Amino acid sequence: MTATESGGSVVRRILLGSQLRRLRESRGITREAAGYSIRASESKISRMELGRVSFKARDIEDLLTLYGVTDEAERTALLALVREANVVGWWHSYGDVLPGWFQTYIGLEGAASAIRIYEVQFVHGLLQTEAYAHAVVARGMPGASDAEVDRRVALRAERQKVLVAERAPHFHAVLDEAALRRPYGDRAVMREQLKHLIEVSEQPNVTLQVMPFSFGGHAGESGAFTMLRFPESDLSDLVYLEQMTSSLYLDKPEDVAQYERALDRLHADSPGPAETRDLLRGLLQLI
């Protein structure tokens, strides 16, 4: 199973959840009433509609009946989504080191047709070398065992396969110069990381820009964030914000539009890809 295929199960879950929400709201049924019909809580219905839990075919059948969906073709199509949504992703084998709140993101990342990011603290996970990733994980988790650090690095390497998959997304990254100036590991690690950025930036599906210190204040003032776009027309763009112990997804059009404007400004204000490679080569000379 490829990263894209397993990531698709997360997208199917979100699609199914959004369709269930639309059906419920169109019938004027509360989440509480919907939960009662399947012997579940209101919060369970909320999690289902957000695509954050797995689905049972029996529950979906009961909800469709409650919502007045009697057309056999429509019921069959929605129940087929249940089977697709419940496919286990490759990342579940890393459950020992993978926070539950991050599993959804990995699935969405693997299913996206476009990934746009701004990063300020360190080089983005999809662009990290093994040695650099090891230094980042070890610094961030000083109490972790060597085995746990290695598992987390292996997970990061597995995620990176999305950039060379058959249906690889377009990946547009803006790294703040601070991410490149802040050392993780020794000089050899940082040199290898900078060389890797130069190499990966030449992939046809990767656009890399660096926001230099010399520009001063810029549109990324709120910190790091990710925007995901999907090939499914029914699924809107998402903004992903990662916190220390949880994450936040924004999908309201007005919120997404604001982050998209910030990204557009970062793209316009940062040196282009060729100039960025020159900047990276310059930084290499300083290490």
Side-chain angles (χ1 to χ4, degrees):
M1 179 181 294
T2 67
T4 299
E5 288 169 341
S6 56
S9 64
V10 176
V11 171
R12 300 296 186 277
R13 205 159 62 223
I14 293 174
L15 283 172
L16 179 57
S18 66
Q19 291 187 46
L20 290 173
R21 176 178 53 79
R22 286 197 294 268
L23 286 170
R24 178 182 60 76
E25 291 177 344
S26 69
R27 302 304 192 273
I29 298 171
T30 66
R31 289 194 182 95
E32 183 180 10
Y36 181 81
S37 74
I38 62 168
R39 302 156 298 283
S41 64
E42 179 181 355
S43 62
K44 171 70 176 293
I45 295 296
S46 178
R47 292 195 298 275
M48 289 175 67
E49 293 180 351
L50 291 170
R52 295 181 181 172
V53 293
S54 59
F55 299 97
K56 294 181 180 178
R58 176 183 171 183
D59 288 343
I60 302 306
E61 289 176 344
D62 289 346
L63 287 174
L64 293 180
T65 299
L66 177 67
Y67 300 158
V69 179
T70 57
D71 181 77
E72 196 58 37
E74 185 176 0
R75 291 177 68 94
T76 299
L78 289 170
L79 289 170
L81 268 182
V82 174
R83 292 189 294 274
E84 296 171 8
N86 287 335
V87 173
V88 176
W90 61 263
W91 55 88
H92 285 272
S93 64
Y94 289 90
D96 55 325
V97 295
L98 184 62
W101 54 265
F102 195 54
Q103 294 186 22
T104 296
Y105 174 76
I106 292 182
L108 292 172
E109 182 182 72
S113 58
I115 304 171
R116 301 168 70 191
I117 68 100
Y118 169 66
E119 185 59 76
V120 63
Q121 176 70 13
F122 37 63
V123 173
H124 189 271
L126 292 182
L127 300 174
Q128 294 177 4
T129 64
E130 181 180 350
Y132 182 93
H134 193 281
V136 170
V137 173
R139 182 84 58 85
M141 303 189 67
S145 66
D146 291 344
E148 183 176 356
V149 171
D150 289 343
R151 286 280 288 164
R152 290 179 180 274
V153 172
L155 168 62
R156 199 156 299 184
E158 194 69 30
R159 280 176 58 203
Q160 292 174 359
K161 293 179 181 179
V162 72
L163 294 184
V164 293
E166 182 178 352
R167 297 181 181 178
H170 179 69
F171 182 64
H172 194 155
V174 178
L175 304 180
D176 196 280
E177 186 175 344
L180 306 176
R181 295 277 190 175
R182 182 175 292 107
Y184 281 94
D186 58 23
R187 292 176 61 189
V189 170
M190 290 302 297
R191 286 185 61 82
E192 180 190 29
Q193 179 61 69
L194 290 173
K195 289 178 180 178
H196 178 68
L197 288 175
I198 294 171
E199 293 172 2
V200 76
S201 72
E202 294 175 343
Q203 290 180 205
N205 62 311
V206 175
T207 301
L208 177 62
Q209 295 178 267
V210 172
M211 169 54 75
F213 287 148
S214 59
F215 186 83
H218 55 73
E221 60 188 7
S222 64
F225 62 94
T226 299
M227 179 174 287
L228 302 172
R229 177 163 293 168
F230 306 93
E232 290 83 0
S233 59
D234 290 343
L235 195 60
S236 61
D237 291 357
L238 291 176
V239 173
Y240 172 75
L241 303 173
E242 188 171 314
Q243 300 165 343
M244 189 170 293
T245 59
S246 62
S247 61
L248 179 65
Y249 294 91
L250 306 178
D251 62 356
K252 292 182 179 179
E254 58 271 26
D255 292 334
V256 173
Q258 189 164 343
Y259 278 90
E260 187 165 27
R261 285 193 295 269
L263 273 173
D264 289 343
R265 287 171 58 195
L266 285 167
H267 296 167
D269 293 339
S270 300
E275 296 171 280
T276 289
R277 282 189 284 271
D278 289 339
L279 189 154
L280 291 169
R281 294 185 185 103
L283 290 174
L284 263 175
Q285 302 304 314
L286 300 177
I287 298 178

